[in-house]
Amino acid sequence: MNRLRRLNTKKVIITIIMFAIGLLFLMPFIWMLSASLKAETNVFSYPIEWIPSDWKWDNYRRVWFGEQPFILYYWNSIKVTVLTTLLSVTVSALAAYGFSKIHFKGRDALFLIVLATFLIPAQAILVPQFMMYRVLNLFDTHLGLILLNSFSVLGTFLLRQFFSSIQDDYIDAAKMDGASHFTIFYKVVVPMMIPAISTYAILRFIWTWNDYQGPLIFLRSDDLSTIQLAIERFSTSSGELYSLIMAGSVSAILPLIIIFIIGQKYVIEGIARGGVKG
């Protein structure tokens, strides 16, 4: 009985400590959210007014319906991010399946070559990419921006590690039933790897949404700009109006919070349902 009581006390203490650490990490976001709903004169008031006394919802109206067309930038970011994520997950999963479950001569050597390209800094190939996009007429287009991030060596490597954990007996059993590699991939491998695929999809969505370098270099038209470029322009045009800058920043990260919450749910469901029941 005493041992059980000690264990429960230990769990309570650990829970309180983890809650305090989590709250500490959330404090910058809470301050940003609070500042976005304050009058400009109260943003840096001390002591900090965590709950605004006068809620300024007009800050968000000025951000969304002001000089900068945030709705257009949002649509551009959503379109580019969603299509990039879908294409990147598909390509990486197919490549991972090929490198882990299809046996062909030189497979491992080819994978090492692909993996070696990950060592090349992205900044080192910007000039060749820029010139190639000019020749292919992909410069200043959303298609070019989507293709830029759709082929991920890191995604292929991560998914290959997960795919390698699947026993070949499942693959061999499907082949004996006459299934093709595409059928095996779609009906056998993917359902078992939902947690891994969901995790990479969340990461790719976040990386693409937060990408600033790609749109800055490969986009020139204002009507094609993404939300990251819009935030930079909005910060410049708003000057010292930190309440508006915080409102724009909250608007920019809101989709990331939503996609993480939704994605986390699917990851948990995938873990619960992804195993093979005997």
Side-chain angles (χ1 to χ4, degrees):
M1 188 68 180
N2 291 333
R3 182 180 179 183
L4 182 60
R5 185 177 300 174
R6 287 196 299 270
L7 289 175
N8 291 334
T9 303
K10 184 178 179 180
K11 289 181 179 179
V12 170
I13 294 174
I14 293 175
T15 301
I16 294 174
I17 293 175
M18 296 303 294
F19 176 80
I21 294 175
L23 186 62
L24 183 64
F25 278 100
L26 282 175
M27 283 181 65
F29 174 74
I30 296 174
W31 182 88
M32 180 174 65
L33 181 61
S34 174
S36 70
L37 294 169
K38 292 179 181 178
E40 184 63 30
T41 54
N42 296 332
V43 171
F44 294 106
S45 60
Y46 187 83
I48 298 176
E49 188 181 27
W50 294 101
I51 301 178
S53 56
D54 184 17
W55 297 73
K56 293 292 184 179
W57 294 103
D58 186 64
N59 291 339
Y60 285 90
R61 185 193 64 79
R62 293 172 64 182
V63 168
W64 280 87
F65 303 103
E67 296 179 359
Q68 300 290 337
F70 254 58
I71 295 179
L72 175 61
Y73 299 145
Y74 242 74
W75 166 246
N76 290 339
S77 287
I78 290 173
K79 179 174 68 174
V80 170
T81 304
V82 170
L83 293 178
T84 299
T85 301
L86 291 175
L87 186 56
S88 180
V89 170
T90 302
V91 172
S92 296
L94 287 171
Y97 174 78
F99 282 125
S100 61
K101 296 304 176 183
I102 299 179
H103 300 280
F104 57 90
K105 186 177 181 180
R107 183 191 68 174
D108 295 337
L110 180 60
F111 178 71
L112 288 177
I113 294 174
V114 172
L115 193 61
T117 61
F118 185 67
L119 302 176
I120 304 174
Q123 293 77 10
I125 58 176
L126 280 177
V127 174
Q129 284 179 334
F130 184 87
M131 297 174 64
M132 182 175 66
Y133 270 44
R134 282 286 195 182
V135 173
L136 297 176
N137 294 322
L138 292 174
F139 181 75
D140 198 24
T141 64
H142 282 162
L143 177 59
L145 200 60
I146 292 168
L147 294 176
L148 188 68
N149 295 316
S150 294
F151 305 94
S152 173
V153 177
L154 179 60
T156 301
F157 172 74
L158 291 176
L159 293 181
R160 178 185 179 273
Q161 299 305 110
F162 283 102
F163 285 12
S164 297
S165 64
I166 300 177
Q167 296 183 6
D168 291 337
D169 294 341
Y170 301 121
I171 311 297
D172 296 337
K175 287 181 179 179
M176 291 180 64
D177 291 336
S180 63
H181 278 296
F182 179 79
T183 303
I184 295 172
F185 171 78
Y186 179 70
K187 293 187 176 181
V188 178
V189 175
V190 171
M192 297 176 66
M193 289 292 106
I194 288 178
I197 294 173
S198 300
T199 301
Y200 175 64
I202 294 172
L203 293 175
R204 172 47 62 189
F205 187 96
I206 294 174
W207 294 338
T208 306
W209 183 272
N210 287 332
D211 184 26
Y212 177 74
Q213 178 179 274
L216 178 65
I217 295 176
F218 294 97
L219 294 180
R220 285 294 180 267
S221 301
D222 183 68
D223 59 341
L224 295 177
S225 296
T226 60
I227 194 66
Q228 302 306 325
L229 296 181
I231 288 294
E232 188 274 332
R233 294 170 185 169
F234 183 76
S235 300
T236 302
S237 62
S238 299
E240 299 297 324
L241 298 178
Y242 289 100
S243 58
L244 298 184
I245 295 174
M246 293 301 104
S249 299
V250 171
S251 300
I253 68 174
L254 186 60
L256 300 182
I257 298 175
I258 295 174
I259 199 66
F260 179 79
I261 294 174
I262 296 175
Q264 187 181 44
K265 171 185 175 182
Y266 284 108
V267 168
I268 294 174
E269 290 181 355
I271 294 174
R273 296 161 45 190
V276 177
K277 297 181 180 180

